[in-house]
Amino acid sequence: MSLTEEELISQLNQPSKKSAAFSIVFKTYQERLYWHIRKMVLIHDDANDILQNTFLKAWNGLEGFRGEAKLSTWLYKIATNETLTFLANKKLKNNHSIYDIEDIMIQNLKADTYFNGNDAQLKLQKAILTLPEKQRLVFNMKYFEDITYEQLEDILETSVGALKASYHHAVKKIEKYFEDKD
Amino acid sequence: MKDKKETTIEEAGKELPFNVPENYFNNFTLQMESHLSSKPTLPRKTIKPWMYMAAMFIGVLILSQVMFNVLQTTKVINDDSYESYVLSQINENNIIDLYVESYEENN
């Protein structure tokens, strides 16, 4: 018998049921969160590390979570923050390199065993990497996952209007990228 | 140009061009369960009400001491200021003249 979100949150706050409840949480959300992270970092090993950190953070932060937001929103927020932190650290480490971090990411992607895209898909990934990180997030979540603007508003703490504008500009930039590279 | 552009984006589609190792998500679940069962939950630090009262009392004491010192310093500064003000209103030559007059009167 599957639990409702309220029941699950209630069990997460009961010491005797917490572990079992949390197992349900990562079985339910791991794939969604993994792909959300992977779209940003591109490489499987990096996505795996960030996903683990996400769930560890969630586990340690359970006592502070009282169900004010949806469980999925809360988890997405943690995953997003972990991803952005990872990318920021990666940029810092790359500070002295003559190559942009985005160029390095594309080179790594081409060499990655777990990339199976065609030329058009690789081009789309290159185009997405030209976007600023927050805009990349908006584009990925809207284009690939079709998350509603209202859900995005909760996850990214940005107004629906700003998100719509961001997505619209992202699409325009990507279209222009395809035109220029043809 | 427009057709070529649309064709290219259509070719890219909405499928993600990524895959994962075989059984990745099953293994991830097992890995996380094993990891979390070996990790004790960080105990929540509970702060008892008397600790709040004690902290508040100490805070009030420290604040009182600070305020008292500030007031004392202000008083001294004010006293100093008053004396400086009075002295600033007196011309040195007037003091000398007064002294000379007083001396002459007495002698």
Side-chain angles (χ1 to χ4, degrees), chain A residues 128-143:
Chain A
I128 294 169
L129 276 174
T130 63
L131 304 173
E133 277 158 8
K134 291 270 173 81
Q135 196 171 45
R136 218 184 295 166
L137 266 172
V138 176
F139 180 83
N140 278 334
M141 292 170 89
K142 195 78 196 111
Y143 184 81

Side-chain angles (χ1 to χ4, degrees), chain A residues 18 22-23 26-27 30 34 38-39 44 48 52 55-56 59 63 114-117 121 143-144 178, chain B residues 5 8-9 11-21 24-25 28-29 31-33 35-36 41 44:
Chain A
K18 185 177 172 178
F22 200 71
S23 276
F26 53 73
K27 280 173 193 164
Q30 62 175 346
Y34 172 85
R38 180 79 187 267
K39 285 196 293 290
H44 165 70
N48 177 57
Q52 282 188 40
F55 281 119
L56 286 173
W59 171 256
E63 293 201 0
Y114 301 111
F115 174 70
N116 57 1
Q121 286 169 320
Y143 184 81
F144 290 108
F178 272 93
Chain B
K5 176 195 70 178
T8 307
I9 291 174
E11 279 175 6
K14 296 203 174 188
E15 284 261 330
L16 284 172
F18 309 123
N19 52 27
V20 292
Y24 169 68
F25 290 112
F28 183 85
T29 302
Q31 199 183 354
M32 283 304 301
E33 281 173 342
H35 192 82
L36 290 173
T41 321
R44 191 179 189 186

Side-chain angles (χ1 to χ4, degrees), chain B:
Chain B
M1 186 72 145
K2 195 178 176 181
D3 285 343
K4 192 177 178 186
K5 176 195 70 178
E6 283 178 359
T7 302
T8 307
I9 291 174
E10 274 175 8
E11 279 175 6
K14 296 203 174 188
E15 284 261 330
L16 284 172
F18 309 123
N19 52 27
V20 292
E22 205 175 318
N23 272 330
Y24 169 68
F25 290 112
N26 286 338
N27 292 339
F28 183 85
T29 302
L30 294 170
Q31 199 183 354
M32 283 304 301
E33 281 173 342
S34 157
H35 192 82
L36 290 173
S37 63
S38 64
K39 217 176 178 36
T41 321
L42 295 169
R44 191 179 189 186
K45 290 177 189 168
T46 45
I47 301 174
K48 300 201 165 92
W50 69 264
M51 289 181 185
Y52 286 120
M53 292 299 290
M56 196 174 71
F57 183 65
I58 291 165
V60 167
L61 272 177
I62 293 170
L63 196 60
S64 310
Q65 188 63 31
V66 167
M67 290 304 295
F68 179 73
N69 287 340
V70 167
L71 283 169
Q72 284 292 94
T73 311
T74 309
K75 187 172 180 294
V76 166
I77 288 171
N78 285 344
D79 289 346
D80 286 345
S81 298
Y82 180 70
E83 195 179 321
S84 304
Y85 170 74
V86 168
L87 286 172
S88 72
Q89 301 305 305
I90 300 172
N91 190 315
E92 261 181 30
N93 292 333
N94 292 344
I95 296 174
I96 295 168
D97 288 343
L98 274 171
Y99 177 74
V100 166
E101 277 174 23
S102 165
Y103 179 79
E104 282 172 357
E105 274 171 19
N106 291 334
N107 294 317

